[in-house]
Amino acid sequence: MIAIYFLVPPEVQLLDLTGPAHVFYEAREYGANLDTLFVSLEANKEALSSAGLTLGNLKPFYNYELTEKDFLFIPGLESHLFFGDDFVDNHKTFFEWLTRQYQNNAKICSVCTGAYVLGFSGLLGDRNCTTHWKYINDFTSRFPKVKLLSDRLIVKDGNLYSSAGVSSGIDLSLYILEELYGTLFATKIAKEVVLYFRRTANDPQLSVFLQYRNHIETKVHKVQDRLSQNLSERTTIEELAELVYMSPRNLTRLFKKTTGITIGNYLERLRAEKALQLQSKGEKIGAIALAVGLKSENRTRGLLKKYAPAERRRS
């Protein structure tokens, strides 16, 4: 039996907690030999979440000793708590316990700002990790020895796992299920929770499919939808312009003014992210080229090389 422990601190971010918990619940329903337990950071049996929902029936962390088979999830919490001068001093017993679980070879997993708990514990040292993009600069200044990977969704370094934030805890849970039970099982669970587009450890925090959409220009959104949903097809600027009842010249200007990049650059980034995802799944270069609307395999190789993660380009 594998135990998945969830730390429930005060003002916990609900999705950081409930997203992964539900994934493991579904895994258990599909026959996975695991159990989930919820433990409080303090002696209280209840914790008030940041959303105002009270979580009860909790047991103190110090009631448990983890083994090498077990996982501990540390979700994000409100920043004013871990930024407080007395956060570490007030929770010395917990940090001693956390260090002991790590020494027991338990797997410690942080979601979002839960990475700060790992940082304050001293377990990270000079290891790799990630956290929510909004806290990158602060985290780096507080823990300068840590190798913070700012554009990664999931990072694993030994027995330490970290994920970028909020919904990435779900991706981390699926990643762990894949390690434990294989790709087919993890895919079944992803489908069960209606997460068909499963992200991996190599994916950036902010997908280009979500970037450049923070605007209210309906015509530009319509063009972006057309491009992202039809990558395998060749679409001309004239067809896009006709779609939104504009001239090609005016559409080009509006798109650049609204998003900050050109239509051509946006399309290239869409193709690159899709190509990198397919490459990580072992697809052949010919299939990748067709999927992203590039007839030439050489052009596809060039695209993959141009947008490969920095660590892959250095290797």
Side-chain angles (χ1 to χ4, degrees), residues 187-294:
T187 301
K188 287 181 179 179
I189 303 305
K191 290 182 178 180
E192 183 65 33
V193 298
V194 200
L195 191 70
Y196 293 98
F197 186 68
R198 189 163 62 86
R199 299 178 291 179
T200 72
N202 292 323
D203 288 331
Q205 291 191 25
L206 297 177
S207 167
V208 69
F209 286 85
L210 301 178
Q211 286 179 294
Y212 309 108
R213 302 298 294 253
N214 188 24
H215 61 82
I216 57 174
E217 180 54 65
T218 304
K219 291 183 177 181
V220 174
H221 277 305
K222 197 169 185 178
V223 169
Q224 289 174 304
D225 289 341
R226 173 66 174 270
L227 292 172
S228 64
Q229 294 169 15
N230 299 276
L231 279 180
S232 62
E233 302 176 7
R234 184 178 181 275
T235 305
T236 66
I237 184 64
E238 288 76 18
E239 290 171 330
L240 294 174
E242 184 178 353
L243 178 69
V244 293
Y245 307 104
M246 297 180 70
S247 70
R249 185 176 182 181
N250 285 339
L251 173 59
T252 299
R253 287 177 174 176
L254 178 64
F255 194 98
K256 177 67 181 295
K257 178 181 178 181
T258 304
T259 65
I261 63 173
T262 66
I263 295 175
N265 193 1
Y266 180 70
L267 178 58
E268 180 181 80
R269 289 169 182 262
L270 290 175
R271 284 171 167 165
E273 184 166 323
K274 180 67 173 179
L276 287 168
Q277 290 167 356
L278 293 174
Q279 184 186 52
S280 70
K281 295 177 181 179
E283 293 287 348
K284 294 183 178 179
I285 193 68
I288 296 174
L290 290 175
V292 300
L294 295 177

Side-chain angles (χ1 to χ4, degrees), residues 135-151:
Y135 293 91
I136 294 297
N137 291 336
D138 179 81
F139 193 93
T140 301
S141 66
R142 289 176 186 269
F143 311 108
K145 292 184 179 180
V146 177
K147 298 174 183 175
L148 189 67
L149 304 182
S150 61
D151 197 29

Side-chain angles (χ1 to χ4, degrees), residues 21-305:
H22 187 78
V23 168
F24 289 116
Y25 160 78
E26 293 291 355
R28 192 168 65 247
E29 291 293 295
Y30 270 75
N33 188 26
L34 55 82
D35 194 14
T36 54
L37 303 97
F38 300 88
V39 300
S40 62
L41 178 60
E42 299 168 346
N44 300 329
K45 293 184 178 181
E46 294 184 347
L48 184 65
S49 73
S50 62
L53 179 67
T54 299
L55 304 170
N57 198 29
L58 306 175
K59 295 183 179 180
F61 64 86
Y62 49 74
N63 283 6
Y64 300 94
E65 288 294 320
L66 281 58
T67 72
E68 62 183 9
K69 295 189 301 181
D70 300 330
F71 292 79
L72 171 66
F73 269 72
I74 303 175
L77 60 160
E78 291 297 300
S79 60
H80 73 88
L81 293 175
F82 56 79
F83 283 166
D85 294 335
D86 56 356
F87 180 77
V88 176
D89 288 339
N90 287 347
H91 299 94
K92 279 186 177 179
T93 304
F94 167 75
F95 284 111
E96 291 171 357
W97 176 86
L98 182 62
T99 299
R100 192 164 65 251
Q101 307 320 305
Y102 177 75
Q103 292 169 345
N104 291 342
N105 291 319
K107 286 82 170 176
I108 314 297
C109 312
S110 70
V111 180
C112 194
T113 57
Y116 278 86
V117 177
L118 292 185
F120 287 127
S121 72
L123 297 182
L124 284 173
D126 61 353
R127 291 175 177 270
N128 298 317
C129 84
T130 192
T131 190
H132 192 284
W133 60 268
K134 190 166 65 175
Y135 293 91
I136 294 297
N137 291 336
D138 179 81
F139 193 93
T140 301
S141 66
R142 289 176 186 269
F143 311 108
K145 292 184 179 180
V146 177
K147 298 174 183 175
L148 189 67
L149 304 182
S150 61
D151 197 29
R152 289 280 293 281
L153 189 75
I154 300 168
V155 173
K156 177 185 178 184
D157 194 330
N159 280 0
L160 298 178
Y161 298 69
S162 55
S163 58
V166 195
S167 64
S168 68
I170 297 174
D171 299 292
L172 176 57
S173 303
L174 291 168
Y175 180 83
I176 289 170
L177 287 179
E178 186 170 18
E179 285 190 330
L180 293 174
Y181 303 108
T183 302
L184 180 59
F185 184 85
T187 301
K188 287 181 179 179
I189 303 305
K191 290 182 178 180
E192 183 65 33
V193 298
V194 200
L195 191 70
Y196 293 98
F197 186 68
R198 189 163 62 86
R199 299 178 291 179
T200 72
N202 292 323
D203 288 331
Q205 291 191 25
L206 297 177
S207 167
V208 69
F209 286 85
L210 301 178
Q211 286 179 294
Y212 309 108
R213 302 298 294 253
N214 188 24
H215 61 82
I216 57 174
E217 180 54 65
T218 304
K219 291 183 177 181
V220 174
H221 277 305
K222 197 169 185 178
V223 169
Q224 289 174 304
D225 289 341
R226 173 66 174 270
L227 292 172
S228 64
Q229 294 169 15
N230 299 276
L231 279 180
S232 62
E233 302 176 7
R234 184 178 181 275
T235 305
T236 66
I237 184 64
E238 288 76 18
E239 290 171 330
L240 294 174
E242 184 178 353
L243 178 69
V244 293
Y245 307 104
M246 297 180 70
S247 70
R249 185 176 182 181
N250 285 339
L251 173 59
T252 299
R253 287 177 174 176
L254 178 64
F255 194 98
K256 177 67 181 295
K257 178 181 178 181
T258 304
T259 65
I261 63 173
T262 66
I263 295 175
N265 193 1
Y266 180 70
L267 178 58
E268 180 181 80
R269 289 169 182 262
L270 290 175
R271 284 171 167 165
E273 184 166 323
K274 180 67 173 179
L276 287 168
Q277 290 167 356
L278 293 174
Q279 184 186 52
S280 70
K281 295 177 181 179
E283 293 287 348
K284 294 183 178 179
I285 193 68
I288 296 174
L290 290 175
V292 300
L294 295 177
K295 304 299 182 182
S296 167
E297 293 185 8
N298 285 335
R299 283 186 64 193
T300 306
R301 290 190 183 94
L303 188 71
L304 289 166
K305 184 177 180 180

